[in-house]
Amino acid sequence: MKVRTLRDGEFGGKRVLVRVDVNVPIEDGRVADATRIEASLPTIEHLRKAGAKVILVSHLGRPKGAPESKYSLKPVATWLNAHGVPTAFAADCVGAIAEAAARSLKAGEVLLLENVRFHAGEEKNDPALCKQLASLADAYVNDAFGTAHRAHASTTGVAKLLPAYAGFLIEKELSALGQALDNPQRPFTAIMGGAKVSDKILVLEKLLPRIDRLVIGGGMAFTFLKAQGHEVGKSLVEADRIPLAKEILERAKARGVQVFLPVDVEAADEFKAESVHRAAKVSHMKPEWMGLDIGPLTAAEFTKAIISSKTVLWNGPMGVFEWDAFDFGTKAVAEAVAACQGITVVGGGDSAAAAQKFGITAKVTHVSTGGGASLEFLEGKVLPGIAALEEAAANSKPAR
């Protein structure tokens, strides 16, 4: 993808509007998890050192197009100030308040605007809001990969009105995900998990021609096992997707892709964290049981396949890892991914949460910050936020 990066612009003395994704959990008025904020710090610091006047814009939560105190970004400004990034806060993202705050910025200073979704025009990509946001700055940087699949005012509209660049985070995301898809070292193993086959159909179709091994776990595995004629008890099965599961297995076989499915599972009596459970071979499943995790034999097989790979792409947990009783399989896969000496890419969403829970984030090549965005990228869909940067690069003019 041809986008301009921070290395392509001169930002000294210029006001730069930076779309970040600081949609972080807030508890008791404090940032509970700063992972997404930390991910954009390299871009913010680069611009500060270049002498830019940095204006941060983001959303938080799902306000209904009007101010709601619980969705205020003020705690993020507090976090930035406490962590070495002196940051002013504007109580609105456009209008007189934002304009005055932007004008008062000096080189190297940072301003965080209030939640852009307090304006209904954000999610509608309203031209008027786009113009108001663009009027605050001389250049635009998108560093919010997690929202790149949304055609909103702050992710696409502004990019059409200002010289637009990709921040370091977006550059890293495109490089890591793109390399895994287009230039993988082999063997290339895709690990697919999560609840439903229907959530991963497009990803599976995109990956099958590219991969050497396909590891399938999580709830979606039971649809594949059912397609093979196994008893899966009360486990999650998408009956209408069984023919598709058969087709995927047939296509994988025809392409020489080695498929790994569970040979044993952690079978529970009911869907509860404290449910009675036991490891059971797939061939010994009882009709009254449900599988909530992969079993130890499966974990060992999956681990062997993962560790011996040169490229690994992991998207989706192996079980209900939020419950400690059923987190063994996801933890085993996480540790295997961390132990792999090749290129290891972890998709966003639940996979990223699992990577954090099991402490492997720093041990893999890349953990995506975008759940929906990374999934759509892997599906081969056009991400509006990235397309806007590509268009801006094609029509590039120097930052004024």
Side-chain angles (χ1 to χ4, degrees):
M1 292 186 177
K2 295 181 179 179
V3 300
R4 289 187 295 178
T5 71
L6 295 179
R7 288 176 289 278
D8 298 316
E10 296 291 336
F11 302 104
K14 297 180 175 65
R15 287 178 295 168
V16 182
L17 184 69
V18 185
R19 188 21 163 126
V20 290
D21 181 9
V22 292
N23 181 27
V24 296
I26 305 294
E27 296 177 4
D28 299 323
R30 296 175 179 270
V31 173
D33 180 354
T35 302
R36 289 184 173 179
I37 306 174
E38 292 167 345
S40 274
L41 288 180
T43 288
I44 295 169
E45 288 304 309
H46 175 87
L47 290 169
R48 289 184 67 206
K49 290 177 182 178
K53 303 167 185 178
V54 183
I55 305 168
L56 306 178
V57 59
S58 179
H59 77 285
L60 191 153
R62 296 183 178 275
K64 299 181 179 0
E68 293 183 55
S69 59
K70 66 179 179 179
Y71 294 128
S72 174
L73 283 169
K74 194 168 185 178
V76 174
T78 301
W79 187 96
L80 286 166
N81 279 296
H83 290 80
V85 185
T87 303
F89 180 71
D92 201 349
C93 65
V94 290
I97 292 175
E99 291 166 6
R103 283 196 302 268
S104 68
L105 280 176
K106 296 186 174 79
E109 292 184 341
V110 179
L111 169 68
L112 174 63
L113 304 175
E114 183 57 284
N115 194 335
V116 70
R117 285 191 184 171
F118 284 177
H119 292 263
E122 162 66 359
E123 295 185 73
K124 296 176 182 177
N125 196 11
D126 178 61
L129 182 62
C130 295
K131 289 179 181 179
Q132 284 184 291
L133 288 169
S135 70
L136 300 175
D138 306 304
Y140 170 76
V141 171
N142 193 340
D143 207 36
F145 184 74
T147 62
H149 59 316
R150 304 299 186 202
H152 293 172
S154 66
T155 58
T156 61
V158 177
K160 300 178 185 296
L161 301 175
L162 292 171
Y165 304 82
F168 289 135
L169 176 58
I170 277 192
E171 185 182 3
K172 184 180 179 184
E173 293 272 10
L174 295 179
S175 176
L177 294 171
Q179 181 180 356
L181 282 180
D182 299 327
N183 188 31
Q185 298 179 32
R186 299 191 180 277
F188 178 14
T189 298
I191 309 165
M192 291 287 114
K196 297 180 179 180
V197 177
S198 54
D199 292 338
K200 303 291 169 71
I201 291 172
L202 295 177
V203 175
L204 287 168
E205 291 180 344
K206 180 82 170 178
L207 290 177
L208 270 181
R210 293 169 162 81
I211 59 178
D212 305 296
R213 300 168 180 168
L214 176 59
V215 172
I216 302 176
M220 63 183 288
F222 295 104
T223 300
F224 284 89
L225 291 171
K226 188 74 172 178
Q228 292 181 326
H230 290 288
E231 169 65 61
V232 297
K234 296 186 294 183
S235 305
L236 178 64
V237 171
E238 292 178 278
D240 61 329
R241 301 296 183 177
I242 291 175
L244 175 65
K246 289 181 180 179
E247 180 185 336
I248 290 171
L249 292 174
E250 290 169 0
R251 287 170 57 190
K253 183 178 180 180
R255 290 183 174 276
V257 175
Q258 190 175 8
V259 177
F260 295 81
L261 281 163
V263 294
D264 66 337
V265 299
E266 197 65 28
D269 291 347
E270 52 187 338
F271 190 77
K272 289 184 179 179
E274 65 278 8
S275 174
V276 175
H277 56 92
R278 77 290 293 161
K281 288 187 177 180
V282 168
S283 57
H284 294 164
M285 276 286 284
K286 294 183 178 181
E288 64 269 24
W289 291 348
M290 63 176 62
L292 298 183
D293 192 12
I294 59 172
L297 297 176
T298 302
E301 282 194 5
F302 285 8
T303 294
K304 186 176 179 181
I306 294 165
I307 288 181
S308 61
S309 301
K310 293 295 179 64
T311 301
V312 173
L313 177 62
W314 177 25
N315 191 290
M318 297 295 102
V320 190
F321 76 100
E322 298 89 347
W323 295 342
D324 290 347
F326 304 104
D327 71 357
F328 170 79
T330 303
K331 181 179 181 182
V333 164
E335 291 175 344
V337 173
C340 176
Q341 296 301 301
I343 304 298
T344 49
V345 179
V346 179
D350 286 341
S351 306
Q356 184 172 16
K357 176 177 179 177
F358 301 120
I360 69 157
T361 300
K363 300 175 184 178
V364 298
T365 306
H366 180 66
V367 177
S368 179
T369 58
S374 62
L375 200 59
E376 291 193 18
F377 184 94
L378 294 174
E379 291 170 355
K381 292 182 178 178
V382 173
L383 304 186
I386 306 304
L389 294 177
E390 291 181 303
E391 182 181 336
N395 303 315
S396 62
K397 297 177 182 179
R400 58 183 187 272

